[in-house]
Amino acid sequence: LGKRGKKTVSLLRVAAMVSGSGSTAHYLLQQTRPGGLLYGVVEIGCLIASEADIGAIDKFASDNFGGNIYVCNPKEAGDQFGHRLAGIIIQEEVDLFGQYGWLPMTSEELINYCLGTNQHPAAVPWFGGQGMYSRAPHAAVLNFAKTVNRPIITVATAQVVDKEYDKGRILLEVPLAVNPQWSVEQLQTALLPLEWQCQAFALLRIAAYGGKVPP
């Protein structure tokens, strides 16, 4: 694959990539509708799921999503996984792909072809890397807070997708003060709405710079 040709982006078209409940992707979909933060600026062009039986597919299917829904399972695709993902991106003519709870490693082939953004529920690279997803980043943040025995700040992060986990350039961070006495579930619940907003504003920033990474 070669690099995508330059174009002027009037409506940022996004492929939402998910592996779980899809709460962030669904929030973004709702924000693209009249009255939403992303209305007239961003369009969710398609949904790409890494598994067939996940909540994200049900959310989109039951919410009158007009785009295509794909399942691209890395175990089933094997060596063709990256090629199949790239094929979907090309077919859908999206401007970028957004990883919203997407777990598989994204191929360099796709990264080199199209801009990608990644959602992470903590500061990177300190609370990121391989295996740092779901409860793990929150548990690490709370463990640090308890170790230093004082409240700390965690962040919802939007970053550029990189060939290494959580090593991409930071696009936006939204902070949250952490109570060391919180449980992992309490921290997850408190941060999740900020994660949604972080991804939405990251897309707005990219759209404002014509579909490119802002300086």
Side-chain angles (χ1 to χ4, degrees), residues 8-65:
T8 301
V9 177
S10 55
L11 184 66
L12 192 68
R13 184 171 168 84
V14 178
M17 299 169 65
V18 294
S19 295
S21 68
S23 64
T24 300
H26 187 239
Y27 171 83
L28 296 175
L29 174 65
Q30 293 178 316
Q31 293 302 309
T32 63
R33 292 172 173 167
L37 180 67
L38 304 177
Y39 179 62
V41 181
V42 175
E43 173 187 27
I44 304 299
C46 67
L47 181 74
I48 306 175
S50 63
E51 301 282 348
D53 299 319
I54 58 175
I57 294 176
D58 294 335
K59 282 186 175 70
F60 272 63
S62 63
D63 199 11
N64 299 315
F65 176 56

Side-chain angles (χ1 to χ4, degrees), residues 121-123 138 141-142 145 151-157 173-179 182-195:
H138 300 297
V141 167
L142 286 171
I152 65 169
I153 299 295
T154 191
V155 294
T157 301
E173 292 177 324
V174 178
L176 173 71
V178 176
N179 184 332
W182 278 350
S183 67
V184 170
E185 290 74 20
Q186 286 174 314
L187 178 52
Q188 282 181 309
T189 300
L191 188 65
L192 187 57
L194 302 183
E195 292 187 61

